[in-house]
Amino acid sequence: MKRIVFCGFRGTGKTEIGKLVAVELHLPFIDTDTLIEQNTGRSIPDIFHENGEERFRAVEREVMATLPEKDVVVSTGGGAVIDPTTMEHLRKESVLVLLVSDIDTIEQRLVRKPRPPLTNLPLREEIAELMDLRRQHYHAAADFCVDTSETTPAIAAETVIRILKQGVVKVNHRTSGMEFFRTGRIPPQALHTLQELLIGPDRDPLTRIMGVAGYPCAHSKSPALFNALFARFRLNYHYTWFEDPEISEIMMVARSLDAKGLSVTIPFKQDVMKYLDEIDEHATRQIGAVNTVVFACGSAIGYNTDWLGVRKPLVTLKGATAVLLGAGGVAAGAAYALTDLDMKVTILNRTPKNAEVLAGQFGCGWGTLEDIGKIKPDLVVNATPLGMHPDDHSPLSDDQLNKEMTVFDLVYTPPETPLIKQARRIGCRTITGTEMFIEQAREQFYLFFGIDVPGEQVREMIP
Ligand code: NAP
């Protein structure tokens, strides 16, 4: 039997419910906090207060690496989910059950059964602050979510066992989900796999679906990349293409199939926001576009990882003078990333009005493509689609570039665009769109699963 791992905030019932599930399934039970105390001969508050949280997490990581990989029920410490390496250990071949409770219930339980404080804050404030800090990590950890606020441990344990045996997706939703996928342009082999997973006689009720949402998106490389990552980290997930002209339809199907998450692409990055329960600060207030949706505990939460994909390869150019070509959705994320790196940014675009609007949003200069000569930038970032099509030319002429410049083309198909070829010929430092693709995919994987994949591993897996 797969390893069953309970995660969640203190006071949600991980140990009590975990023990009941273990008894019912005739499996041994391990509480990782107890194991840490046995292994070190010290109490957890002692390790925390004498050596700090970092040391405690290191000890916790070592313990997680030694857990049996199957036929066991494990209850983890409340903060274990924040450590990416711990998550990698815990997720291997496992089912992660996130237990949640409302703040009043947790407070009452911790008053009845006090535990050593984790901060200097009063109890309720401590709970609120830590739950908020860890929320994204709990969502990433959840294969399944069970609310223990208004229930007994025995009933919660029954719910967990029912989920383990049957999953949570209703038969009619699996059937209509299959009809939805048949209308998209999914390759026949991938459609066959989906059929096996959703309605096949040997289907595993715990396998979860996720995918890329777009129209069109059948060309997307994300399914091949994510499925390779699932195999690498031994995750019981399958990633596919959610292709439909209506994002409302995609969101409905994704929710009904209990999808873990979606990567959102053209043309839905703005429209999807209407269908979300929450949106993170970077995505809404600044960029106005979502490219990642995480479904957890009945909510759909939107994030933007495109801007991180632009930011990461440019961290050494903090404070540079930059020109951003284009003023569309990806340019908004790029403008956010460049200004976040304290760069002096000018947005140049085919339609100057669109550049002016975006520039106003981020406090940048603006103009037309011809204005590049007046600026003499250290960095040029191309956020137009020029370069994607075989007969495309570079957006700039040779005399608009010089060898002191760094040129970052966000277009990643083909990997070597006319702009990149031209910049290399002139002697500029170049960064290809593949770097952005790798970094934004790493961030997505982290939001979905709490695991930090090294960039080189992602690079090797890109088809
Ligand atoms: P978009 O919203 O359609 O915006 C395109 C921008 O490019 C607009 O400002 C548009 O100018 C300009 N533009 C379009 N065609 C042009 C042309 N022929 N000449 C000059 N300017 C032109 O597109 P987007 O969503 O921002 O995506 C832009 C590109 O980013 C995509 O094509 C894709 O290659 C790349 N991308 C890369 C990654 C990655 O991971 N590397 C991820 C996502 C996207 P107007 O305002 O005048 O229309």
Side-chain angles (χ1 to χ4, degrees):
M1 172 133 201
K2 281 190 193 305
R3 181 169 64 182
I4 299 150
V5 179
F6 285 91
C7 305
F9 199 75
R10 48 171 43 179
T12 52
K14 298 184 297 288
T15 305
E16 211 169 337
I17 296 164
K19 279 181 184 164
L20 291 170
V21 168
V23 169
E24 188 62 31
L25 298 177
H26 308 292
L27 293 174
F29 173 76
I30 297 174
D31 179 287
T32 56
D33 279 353
T34 309
L35 199 57
I36 291 168
E37 294 190 332
Q38 283 167 358
N39 287 5
T40 58
R42 298 169 68 194
S43 76
I44 287 180
D46 277 358
I47 308 175
F48 241 87
H49 293 123
E50 287 167 26
N51 306 94
E53 177 165 1
E54 214 173 296
R55 177 70 200 131
F56 171 74
R57 295 287 164 222
V59 174
E60 189 179 50
R61 271 198 297 276
E62 284 165 24
V63 165
M64 297 305 184
T66 65
L67 291 171
E69 289 193 3
K70 56 179 188 174
D71 298 328
V72 67
V73 177
V74 176
S75 160
T76 59
V81 291
I82 67 172
D83 188 277
T85 309
T86 286
M87 288 305 293
E88 190 179 330
H89 292 311
L90 287 178
R91 279 204 151 284
K92 248 184 271 167
E93 297 282 343
S94 304
V95 186
L96 269 64
V97 182
L98 176 70
L99 300 183
V100 293
S101 291
D102 59 54
I103 188 164
D104 292 332
T105 310
I106 292 179
E107 187 183 21
Q108 283 162 20
R109 287 178 187 156
L110 296 181
V111 166
R112 269 203 312 273
K113 210 170 146 194
R115 323 236 178 125
L118 297 166
T119 64
N120 296 326
L121 295 169
L123 179 62
R124 192 175 174 89
E125 280 175 47
E126 175 177 288
I127 300 169
E129 181 166 309
L130 288 179
M131 279 172 74
D132 195 39
L133 277 174
R134 294 177 185 169
R135 213 169 125 67
Q136 175 193 312
H137 302 281
Y138 284 134
H139 288 165
D143 289 333
F144 298 96
C145 188
V146 175
D147 191 335
T148 63
S149 307
E150 288 175 17
T151 187
T152 63
I155 293 174
E158 268 176 39
T159 306
V160 172
I161 289 167
R162 196 178 58 244
I163 291 172
L164 293 173
K165 289 186 176 151
Q166 301 169 7
V168 296
V169 184
K170 296 192 177 113
V171 178
N172 58 332
H173 288 159
R174 282 188 268 119
T175 312
S176 51
M178 200 55 228
E179 280 161 27
F180 165 84
F181 289 120
R182 282 201 189 95
T183 64
R185 290 172 308 143
I186 297 183
Q189 184 52 43
L191 203 57
H192 177 74
T193 305
L194 272 171
Q195 181 149 330
E196 296 291 303
L197 292 174
L198 288 175
I199 52 176
D202 300 325
R203 65 175 205 92
D204 176 349
L206 301 181
T207 306
R208 291 187 65 193
I209 303 289
M210 51 196 303
V212 51
Y215 189 76
C217 67
H219 61 281
S220 170
K221 293 179 174 177
S222 294
L225 171 64
F226 276 92
N227 286 326
L229 286 166
F230 298 161
R232 156 77 182 80
F233 292 101
R234 291 150 70 187
L235 308 178
N236 193 3
Y237 282 80
H238 179 73
Y239 192 107
T240 191
W241 293 265
F242 285 73
E243 189 180 73
D244 193 274
E246 300 295 334
I247 185 64
S248 55
E249 180 70 11
I250 291 175
M251 289 297 283
M252 196 187 72
V253 173
R255 282 182 190 264
S256 71
L257 290 177
D258 190 37
K260 169 76 171 169
L262 295 172
S263 311
V264 182
T265 186
I266 292 172
F268 299 135
K269 288 185 184 185
Q270 277 91 25
D271 289 353
V272 72
M273 289 160 75
K274 292 199 282 280
Y275 300 93
L276 303 176
D277 301 292
E278 290 169 42
I279 303 179
D280 94 318
E281 169 193 2
H282 299 295
T284 34
R285 276 186 231 149
Q286 309 285 340
I287 303 166
V290 159
N291 77 327
T292 309
V293 177
V294 178
F295 296 96
C297 308
S299 292
I301 305 130
Y303 298 90
N304 187 303
T305 68
D306 280 339
W307 77 277
L308 290 163
V310 177
R311 189 186 188 285
K312 191 76 185 286
L314 296 176
V315 282
T316 54
L317 290 178
K318 218 164 184 268
T321 300
V323 154
L324 175 60
L325 308 178
V330 170
Y336 184 56
L338 302 184
T339 50
D340 189 60
L341 287 169
D342 300 325
M343 293 191 191
K344 185 169 177 288
V345 183
T346 308
I347 301 173
L348 306 180
N349 192 44
R350 178 177 65 181
T351 310
K353 182 76 201 149
N354 295 342
E356 185 183 3
V357 171
L358 190 60
Q361 215 179 312
F362 292 99
C364 305
W366 59 277
T368 62
L369 298 181
E370 290 70 42
D371 292 330
I372 191 167
K374 298 180 208 154
I375 299 164
K376 303 208 177 0
D378 308 308
L379 168 70
V380 175
V381 178
N382 176 38
T384 76
L386 269 175
M388 286 182 81
H389 304 291
D391 49 352
D392 275 351
H393 54 85
S394 163
L396 300 173
S397 55
D398 281 6
D399 60 338
Q400 290 174 314
L401 294 175
N402 68 62
K403 63 180 174 37
E404 312 305 327
M405 290 177 182
T406 298
V407 174
F408 188 0
D409 196 345
L410 305 187
V411 173
Y412 70 103
T413 42
E416 201 177 63
T417 59
L419 173 61
I420 290 290
K421 282 185 189 153
Q422 176 192 32
R424 285 185 180 152
R425 180 166 42 75
I426 290 169
C428 308
R429 178 186 163 218
T430 56
I431 308 171
T432 68
T434 304
E435 302 310 308
M436 174 184 173
F437 181 75
I438 289 172
E439 291 305 329
Q440 64 80 27
R442 285 182 68 200
E443 291 294 336
Q444 281 193 333
F445 198 72
Y446 182 65
L447 288 167
F448 291 141
F449 300 106
I451 297 173
D452 189 7
V453 197
E456 285 318 301
Q457 283 188 19
V458 176
R459 190 185 306 281
E460 282 163 20
M461 289 177 188
I462 295 176

